């Protein structure tokens, strides 16, 4: 019985670490860092060995504080890596607040190890029906652009959506052609994660909406719901209960997914397709 209990504990730990690395390896997090502090950092600020790997102490603390702009401020007076310097001291000196070997006096070369092209391929490939390769493009919506966009769409943008990362998809082979653009979205609310993505073809129509992780109900079937969005474009209706049939017993969650789909579609059409 003791061995079984230990095995369960190990599985829980691995599951939690998987959540952390999946969420914090999204490019929007270091783009929020850039928005906050004015320079592009390395994935090693939050990870032990680059994007997608286990989080270091600063990355874990950032997760616990909510993974947003306010979380950076909340951590500034802490010393996450216990090297005698506050996180803000290190950030201002461009040393790594998550690595005790990097200090303001000896920052090392961690910024030269930037992974500007970190691409979560395993997730993105699920948005396309053919083998694809990806390039990255970015947009930044300042306060004015954010207000204009929110008026246009009728929805509020999250902090991550103000710094979208677009994945331009190309067919593989001797003469690759651009076949679409994808955008990932996620949120953490009450320590529950939602991770999804939307792809559009080159004309701006939705080709696929996929939910990679949700914690509303284990095993909740979403294929019929997400399939309703295929073919929609920016002038389509997104009214839940009319043009979009909600998930039975989950109207609030249906509205949330619909809102993410609509915002992602508009972001791709207004910023991603032009990249």
């Amino acid at each position: 019985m003791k061995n079984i209990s230990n095995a369960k504990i190990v599985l829980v730990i691995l599951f939690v670490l998987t959540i952390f690395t999946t969420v914090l390896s999204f490019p929007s997090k270091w783009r929020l860092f850039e928005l906050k502090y004015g320079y592009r950092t390395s994935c090693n600020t939050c990870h032990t060995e680059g994007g997608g790997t286990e989080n270091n102490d600063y990355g874990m603390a950032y997760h616990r504080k909510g993974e947003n702009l306010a979380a950076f401020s909340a951590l500034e007076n802490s010393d996450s890596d216990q090297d005698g310097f506050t996180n803000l001291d290190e950030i201002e000196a461009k040393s790594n607040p998550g690595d005790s070997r990097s200090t303001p006096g000896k920052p090392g070369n961690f910024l030269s190890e930037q992974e500007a092209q970190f691409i979560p391929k395993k997730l993105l490939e699920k948005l396309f029906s053919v083998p694809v390769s990806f390039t990255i493009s970015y947009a930044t919506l300042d306060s004015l652009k954010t207000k204009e966009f929110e008026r246009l769409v009728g929805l509020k943008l999250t902090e991550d959506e103000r710094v979208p990362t677009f994945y331009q998809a190309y067919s593989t082979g001797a003469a690759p052609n651009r076949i679409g653009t994808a955008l990932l979205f996620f949120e953490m609310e009450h320590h529950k994660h939602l991770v999804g993505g939307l792809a559009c073809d080159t004309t701006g129509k939705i080709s696929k909406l996929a939910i990679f992780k949700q914690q509303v109900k284990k095993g909740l079937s979403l294929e019929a719901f997400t399939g309703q969005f295929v073919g929609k474009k920016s002038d389509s209706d997104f009214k839940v209960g009319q043009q979009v049939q909600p998930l039975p017993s989950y109207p609030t969650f249906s509205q949330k997914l619909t809102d993410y789909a609509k915002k992602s579609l508009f972001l791709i059409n207004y910023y991603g397709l032009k990249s």
Side-chain angles (χ1 to χ4, degrees):
M1 292 294 292
K2 185 176 181 180
N3 289 336
I4 294 175
S5 297
N6 289 339
K8 287 183 177 179
I9 292 173
V10 171
L11 287 174
V12 169
I13 292 173
L14 289 174
F15 174 72
V16 171
L17 289 176
T18 299
I19 291 175
F20 288 166
T21 55
T22 297
V23 174
L24 287 179
S25 60
F26 276 66
S28 61
K29 296 309 175 187
W30 56 255
R31 297 211 62 222
L32 285 179
F33 182 99
E34 181 181 10
L35 195 65
K36 173 71 173 176
Y37 296 112
Y39 68 92
R40 184 169 295 178
T41 190
S42 163
C43 292
N44 286 335
T45 300
C46 288
H47 295 272
T48 56
E49 296 180 14
T53 64
E54 183 179 349
N55 293 315
N56 58 33
D57 289 335
Y58 183 77
M60 293 290 283
Y62 179 66
H63 168 79
R64 289 193 295 268
K65 292 294 185 180
E67 302 174 9
N68 51 29
L69 285 172
F72 289 126
S73 298
L75 295 175
E76 288 181 345
N77 292 325
S78 300
D79 178 12
S80 294
D81 58 7
Q82 299 295 302
D83 62 359
F85 300 93
T86 67
N87 293 330
L88 182 59
D89 288 339
E90 298 222 53
I91 290 168
E92 290 180 339
K94 296 186 177 180
S95 60
N96 190 344
D99 185 350
S100 60
R101 297 168 298 180
S102 174
T103 63
K106 294 182 179 180
N109 64 350
F110 90 104
L111 283 181
S112 67
E113 300 167 352
Q114 290 179 6
E115 297 173 71
Q117 296 295 305
F118 173 72
I119 298 175
K121 288 189 65 176
K122 289 184 178 180
L123 294 184
L124 291 168
E125 287 172 346
K126 295 178 181 179
L127 293 171
F128 297 91
S129 59
V130 297
V132 286
S133 60
F134 298 96
T135 62
I136 290 180
S137 61
Y138 307 101
T140 300
L141 280 70
D142 58 21
S143 297
L144 179 59
K145 288 181 179 178
T146 297
K147 290 179 181 179
E148 291 175 347
F149 188 89
E150 289 176 343
R151 282 197 297 267
L152 174 69
V153 182
L155 296 167
K156 290 287 186 181
L157 290 178
T158 65
E159 290 178 351
D160 292 329
E161 288 168 334
R162 291 182 57 195
V163 286
T165 297
F166 301 104
Y167 301 92
Q168 311 299 340
Y170 292 83
S171 60
T172 58
N177 295 311
R178 183 172 171 179
I179 60 174
T181 304
L183 180 64
L184 301 176
F185 58 84
F186 65 93
E187 71 171 29
M188 183 182 74
E189 186 175 18
H190 305 302
H191 296 284
K192 291 185 177 181
H193 292 93
L194 169 66
V195 182
L198 183 136
C200 288
D201 61 22
T202 55
T203 69
K205 292 182 181 179
I206 295 176
S207 55
K208 188 165 185 178
L209 169 66
I211 306 303
F212 307 121
K213 181 175 183 60
Q214 56 81 23
Q215 293 177 288
V216 172
K217 180 184 177 182
K218 185 177 181 180
L220 181 63
S221 179
L222 296 169
E223 287 77 10
F225 176 79
T226 57
Q228 299 178 88
F229 294 86
V230 174
K232 285 187 177 294
K233 49 188 180 178
S234 55
D235 60 355
S236 299
D237 288 323
F238 286 80
K239 294 180 180 178
V240 176
Q242 297 182 31
Q243 288 77 18
V244 176
Q245 294 304 308
L247 291 160
S249 304
Y250 296 97
T252 302
F253 186 51
S254 299
Q255 186 65 62
K256 176 179 289 189
L257 296 182
T258 300
D259 290 347
Y260 272 117
K262 184 177 181 180
K263 288 187 289 183
S264 297
L265 171 64
F266 273 74
L267 284 168
I268 288 175
N269 273 268
Y270 281 82
Y271 295 99
L273 293 180
K274 300 174 183 178
S275 303

